[in-house]
Amino acid sequence: MYNILAKKKEADRIVFEDPDPDIGFILVPDMKWDRKDVNTLYLVAIAHKHDIKSLRDFDQTSLPLLRNIMEKGQVNIRKHIYIYHIIGQYH
């Protein structure tokens, strides 16, 4: 994920970026997307803050980040925002 944030990998797939170091994030398509059918498109928000490893790291201090993802994500993709915890992504 750090390579995506540094734009070393998948830079061409970035849909939106807010570069703010505290509440910023990158939106990228889910890796399973076939790049054809937009009805199956899901976007993943990756926070620029490196101290967030899983949903367990979120607390009340994370609310500005979560609100920013919700507000800017909805504006840029015009869909509802859902938060999923992908267990296999954290080592």
Side-chain angles (χ1 to χ4, degrees):
M1 293 220 230
Y2 296 130
N3 285 336
I4 296 172
L5 290 170
K7 298 184 183 105
K8 294 178 181 177
K9 301 266 184 178
E10 301 189 39
D12 61 322
R13 296 181 55 139
I14 294 173
V15 174
F16 174 78
E17 178 177 15
D18 178 342
D20 186 283
D22 294 318
I23 62 169
F25 63 97
I26 286 179
L27 281 179
V28 292
D30 182 78
M31 294 175 63
K32 298 176 200 167
W33 186 48
D34 64 5
R35 294 188 180 204
K36 295 174 186 156
D37 185 5
V38 294
N39 293 318
T40 62
L41 172 62
Y42 288 90
L43 295 175
V44 177
I46 303 171
H48 279 294
K49 287 183 76 164
H50 288 219
D51 61 343
I52 298 173
K53 307 285 188 232
S54 74
L55 282 177
R56 294 182 186 122
D57 294 328
F58 286 110
D59 59 18
Q60 65 274 13
T61 64
S62 306
L63 287 176
L65 169 65
L66 294 171
R67 285 186 184 114
N68 191 42
I69 292 171
M70 184 178 71
E71 290 167 7
K72 291 185 179 168
Q74 285 179 335
V75 166
N76 285 283
I77 63 172
R78 295 172 185 88
K79 296 278 183 182
H80 296 285
I81 304 295
Y82 300 97
I83 297 175
Y84 294 96
H85 179 211
I86 304 171
I87 296 171
Q89 295 293 326
Y90 177 61
H91 300 288

